[in-house]
Amino acid sequence: MSFGDPNNPYGQQPQGQPGYGYPQQQGGYAYPQQGQQAYPGYPAGGYPAPAGQVPMPGGVKAARVILYVLGILQALFGVLLLLGGAFFASLFADSSSSTASDAGAVAGGFFVIIGIICIAFALWPILTAAKMAKGRGGVRGSGIAFGVVQSLFAGLSVLTNLAALGSADGAPAIVLSMIMAVVSLALGIWIIVGLANSAASAYFGRPQY
């Protein structure tokens, strides 16, 4: 049987030759076989797990709880200062002495200002902890920075209390203040350690889709 002129492009092509340069594979179209990687960057078994399903490391969980606790305690302390300042100012408002009334207003205003600062500062750890579930490196850096500030002020308080322990006056109050400063220092260091390790780095650097 003749296939015609081999130089004729419209003639019938011989059997068994691949058409138009595409490789022929058994079974039809060349889909990836089972067990083969279909696209680079994705596992062969399917797509990677969503970012929300990546478990939070234990150190990050502990740091998050500490941030919540410290933020809430600072906010409560700020509210107490606001109430105390208002009460202190009203206590001397009806005084017959103008000097006492002015002094009470100044002292009450001072407590109110400190209370507002404490409440504003309390938003830092609370918002940082709230964003840790979906946050990235910026949230981690914010938590570490708060831990550093917390440890710094707590360390200064420990040194101040140590210097005051030599005085006999008010020793129980100094000891109580020392205990609170040591606990605050330990919590600040705990935040830093929980967020600065390699597991926390991998968690906050995880891919998000």
Side-chain angles (χ1 to χ4, degrees):
M1 180 179 181
S2 174
F3 295 100
D5 188 0
N7 296 322
N8 185 6
Y10 299 99
Q12 185 176 2
Q13 299 297 324
Q15 298 293 329
Q17 296 182 0
Y20 301 100
Y22 289 97
Q24 299 292 325
Q25 294 191 9
Q26 184 177 2
Y29 297 99
Y31 288 107
Q33 300 298 320
Q34 185 177 3
Q36 294 180 350
Q37 185 169 334
Y39 299 99
Y42 292 92
Y47 294 96
Q53 297 181 3
V54 177
M56 183 181 294
V60 178
K61 290 181 180 179
R64 187 186 190 191
V65 172
I66 294 172
L67 288 171
Y68 269 129
V69 171
L70 292 178
I72 292 173
L73 290 178
Q74 290 174 2
L76 292 177
F77 182 69
V79 171
L80 291 178
L81 287 177
L82 288 176
L83 296 177
F87 174 78
F88 196 79
S90 63
L91 186 64
F92 291 91
D94 299 332
S95 176
S96 58
S97 174
S98 60
T99 303
S101 178
D102 293 341
V106 171
F110 175 77
F111 282 116
V112 169
I113 293 175
I114 298 299
I116 293 175
I117 293 175
C118 289
I119 293 175
F121 188 76
L123 295 177
W124 182 7
I126 292 176
L127 293 179
T128 300
K131 294 181 179 181
M132 280 190 175
K134 298 182 179 180
R136 303 301 298 270
V139 176
R140 180 192 179 205
S142 176
I144 294 175
F146 180 83
V148 171
V149 173
Q150 175 80 14
S151 302
L152 178 61
F153 280 99
L156 292 176
S157 180
V158 169
L159 294 177
T160 303
N161 288 316
L162 283 175
L165 279 178
S167 175
D169 298 334
I174 295 175
V175 172
L176 179 60
S177 178
M178 170 69 77
I179 294 174
M180 294 178 62
V182 171
V183 172
S184 181
L185 177 61
L187 293 178
I189 295 176
W190 199 336
I191 293 174
I192 297 173
V193 173
L195 297 179
N197 55 44
S198 58
S201 178
Y203 172 75
F204 287 103
R206 69 197 185 278
Q208 295 189 3
Y209 302 95

